């Protein structure tokens, strides 16, 4: 363990230096919870396709891929060209556009079950709205979540998290039903049978924290 740590420290002096400055700027020194790392996170300069490079010149295969959003990799030429062209036509028109209509149609073509589209500026906002929508549609109050599964950092999503959650009212947690990993299979079914007030089940299909803790369903 010490050898791994020593190698990390030796290879990343540039990241260490930047993190020392960042702790005075950002809570936890990072701009997104998932970037928090011990003893410090890595600072990247650029990416191309499946690779990215840090401030110390190290090259990486990027399994993070923009938190899963970059299915075409970093700076795919078609994506880079489209962004560059669009940015010269206005940066925030504050109005409806042809592009949003084309985009929504593309989403609906890719996911045929989608009936209407609502764009959100973050996953946190999207899961908050999805829970609200499920409650409104069903008239039920609660949402079921699998323990440690990550759905952003709004008050409901933080229920059953492995992180401390000061500042979140107990009432938010009371409307969440948390199923622990060891009992996913029976636990989900059991909780749904026992509690008629559950509007929706939310989960990371690949397992908690992008599959870092794979979900095991005992009878499957
Ligand atoms: C499965 C899942 N849900 C929700 C979120 C939250 O998204 P955001 O960071 O855009 O708020 C993430 C972020 O990585 C995620 O992986």
């Amino acid at each position: 363990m010490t050898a791994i740590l020593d190698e990390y420290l030796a290879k990343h002096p540039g990241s260490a230096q930047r993190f020392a400055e960042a702790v005075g700027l950002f809570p936890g020194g990072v701009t997104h919870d998932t970037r928090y790392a011990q003893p410090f996170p890595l600072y990247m300069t650029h990416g191309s396709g499946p690779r990215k490079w840090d401030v110390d010149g190290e090259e990486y295969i990027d399994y993070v891929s923009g938190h899963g959003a970059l299915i075409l990799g970093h700076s795919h030429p078609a994506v880079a060209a489209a962004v560059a062209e669009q940015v010269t036509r206005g940066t925030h028109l504050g109005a409806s556009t042809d592009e949003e209509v084309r985009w929504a149609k593309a989403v609906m073509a890719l996911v045929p079950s989608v009936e209407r589209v609502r764009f959100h500026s973050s996953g946190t906002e999207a899961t908050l709205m999805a829970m609200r929508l499920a409650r409104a549609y069903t008239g039920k109050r609660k949402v079921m979540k699998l323990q440690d599964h990550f759905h952003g950092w709004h008050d409901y999503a933080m229920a059953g998290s492995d992180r401390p959650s000061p500042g979140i009212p107990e009432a938010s947690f009371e409307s969440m039903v948390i199923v622990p990993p060891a009992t996913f299979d029976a636990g989900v079914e059991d909780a749904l049978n026992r509690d008629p007030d559950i509007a929706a089940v939310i989960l990371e299909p690949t397992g908690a924290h992008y599959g870092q803790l794979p979900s095991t369903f005992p009878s499957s």
Side-chain angles (χ1 to χ4, degrees):
M1 185 65 185
T2 317
I4 295 172
L5 188 61
D6 287 346
E7 189 182 338
Y8 189 90
L9 296 173
K11 271 189 171 170
H12 307 296
S15 287
Q17 186 195 347
R18 283 159 179 82
F19 185 64
E21 192 178 359
V23 289
L25 300 171
F26 311 119
V30 288
T31 52
H32 192 288
D33 273 10
T34 57
R35 271 162 229 155
Y36 185 78
Q38 289 280 9
F40 50 80
L42 299 179
Y43 285 71
M44 298 293 155
T45 55
H46 61 292
S48 177
R51 296 176 193 278
K52 64 186 177 186
W53 289 264
D54 74 10
V55 292
D56 293 297
E58 296 282 331
E59 179 179 303
Y60 303 86
I61 294 175
D62 188 9
Y63 292 105
V64 177
S65 292
H67 298 203
L70 300 181
I71 54 175
L72 300 179
H74 292 280
S75 300
H76 185 282
V79 175
V83 170
E85 190 201 325
Q86 187 60 36
V87 82
T88 62
R89 298 169 59 199
T91 42
H92 190 325
L93 301 180
S96 303
T97 62
D98 280 347
E99 283 76 15
E100 70 188 13
V101 174
R102 279 178 54 212
W103 185 7
K105 283 183 178 169
V107 171
M108 290 168 99
L110 285 168
V111 189
S113 59
V114 171
E115 294 173 5
R116 294 281 189 285
V117 176
R118 165 75 74 178
F119 295 119
H120 289 292
S121 51
S122 72
T124 295
E125 194 184 338
T127 60
L128 178 65
M129 289 303 123
M131 290 184 192
R132 184 186 293 177
L133 186 62
R135 290 185 179 110
Y137 181 77
T138 61
K140 299 178 177 183
R141 286 184 312 127
K142 299 182 193 167
V143 170
M144 183 193 290
K145 175 180 183 283
L146 305 190
Q147 191 174 335
D148 288 337
H149 283 217
F150 183 64
H151 304 292
W153 51 287
H154 58 79
D155 290 359
Y156 304 108
M158 291 297 288
S161 159
D162 56 358
R163 299 164 200 217
S165 36
I168 300 182
E170 272 305 310
S172 306
F173 292 156
E174 282 160 18
S175 69
M176 299 298 293
V177 175
I178 307 303
V179 177
T183 61
F184 279 168
D185 193 13
V188 170
E189 197 174 344
D190 192 44
L192 285 172
N193 287 336
R194 264 187 300 113
D195 193 336
D197 206 17
I198 296 175
V201 179
I202 189 167
L203 77 160
E204 283 189 80
T206 52
H209 302 300
Y210 330 107
Q212 286 176 44
L213 306 172
S215 307
T216 46
F217 293 88
S219 68
S220 59

